[in-house]
Amino acid sequence: GNNPDGTPNPELLNYLDVDNLIDYMIQHLYAGPEDWPHHNWYAGRHRSDDSEGYQFYTWDQEIVLDGRFRDRVTARSKGPALLFYRLRANDEFRVRFGDLVQRHLFNDGALTVEKAQQSWMRRANQIEKAIIAESARWGDAREGERQRIDTRGPLVTIPVMTIDLWRAERDNVHHNYLPEAHRLAIERFQRRDLYPEVATPRFSQRGGAVPDAFQLQLEAAAGTVYFTTDGSDPRLMGGVVSPTASAYGEPVILTEDAVVRVRTKVGDQWSAIDEATFEVGVAAANQSNLKITE
């Protein structure tokens, strides 16, 4: 649906929801699936003029988070992985990929270690009673079989599958896999130029209710911090500084609600984007005007 320069063209159909593909790939590359991408994927789109394009859906990915830490970043067998492989040649796609890595793997994103651990335990607690029933029915179905858990490892004897065995594996993923998967994902993305080495600026406060004339401070380890307060990107396509962006020097005085977006620029290299939404004046509001009634 876009012209070669990235501007929307209403005469062209949207064939791909790019952000959806990026989210889908981040999720899979983080989790390290065993039988993907050569199969176990689906995609669909609305057949209409206003379609957002093909979107990809996670399906049949039970062989993940198993301690193998498979690196699938360069896989390109078919489907979403092949699209991803080809799109990686595009500078703007890599910038967008890095921006969504920043959203999901940092601050309070869904794939930060703490958030991933919370999601993991929420699901584990939800299904634990079903696991007890499953182990009662099938727990001894393969007891005593000899099998290589790893193709290069020794033969092991399959035990009776009990709830205690499941809990031990649950805790192993929580304590060991998720922190390491987070570290490896960032390392792999940086190595393939999918997440920048330049650090994203830090907010003195990550949004929320603030008093009028709140002084927001921004900090970066090196380079120049560029920011906007209207929700626009400080970086334009091609790496140019946006005319709506300002270089940070003194604290930013907020006198009205604002979506502050920030990037660091070191030479011609940009950081990933970050943003925070501020509600100005809420903290100083006269709360005696609030009445709680039926």
Side-chain angles (χ1 to χ4, degrees), residues 209-228:
V210 295
D212 189 30
F214 175 74
Q215 297 188 29
L216 173 65
Q217 299 181 51
L218 304 171
E219 182 182 356
T224 303
V225 174
Y226 288 95
F227 70 94
T228 63

Side-chain angles (χ1 to χ4, degrees), residues 117-242:
Q117 288 173 328
Q118 290 173 0
S119 297
W120 176 256
M121 291 307 299
R122 185 166 57 249
R123 183 68 75 201
N125 293 335
Q126 182 185 38
I127 68 171
E128 177 160 306
K129 289 183 179 179
I131 293 294
I132 294 172
E134 183 77 359
S135 63
R137 184 178 186 188
W138 297 109
D140 60 353
R142 300 183 63 190
E143 180 188 5
E145 287 186 22
R146 299 279 287 169
Q147 185 185 76
R148 283 186 172 85
I149 304 300
D150 191 315
T151 55
R152 294 168 295 181
L155 284 168
V156 298
T157 302
I158 296 178
V160 177
M161 301 294 180
T162 66
I163 188 63
D164 289 336
L165 195 66
W166 179 81
R167 286 171 178 159
E169 184 59 26
R170 175 202 64 190
D171 292 345
N172 179 53
V173 172
H174 180 278
H175 300 330
N176 301 314
Y177 185 92
L178 296 176
E180 184 66 2
H182 183 271
R183 183 191 69 80
L184 280 175
I186 296 170
E187 177 185 291
R188 290 166 177 171
F189 294 151
Q190 287 185 325
R191 190 164 67 245
R192 276 61 175 258
D193 197 23
L194 291 165
Y195 182 73
E197 297 280 353
V198 177
T200 302
R202 293 182 293 275
F203 289 89
S204 58
Q205 178 174 325
R206 290 196 57 78
V210 295
D212 189 30
F214 175 74
Q215 297 188 29
L216 173 65
Q217 299 181 51
L218 304 171
E219 182 182 356
T224 303
V225 174
Y226 288 95
F227 70 94
T228 63
T229 57
D230 61 358
S232 63
D233 193 334
R235 173 193 180 276
L236 294 183
M237 189 171 293
V240 180
V241 177
S242 170

Side-chain angles (χ1 to χ4, degrees), residues 9 29 34 86 103 148 154 159 177 193 243 246 253 262 268 270 277 279:
N9 185 336
L29 299 177
E34 189 275 336
R86 291 176 175 172
R103 176 186 296 176
R148 283 186 172 85
Y177 185 92
D193 197 23
S246 302
I253 309 299
V262 296
D268 60 354
W270 287 88
T277 300
E279 297 176 84

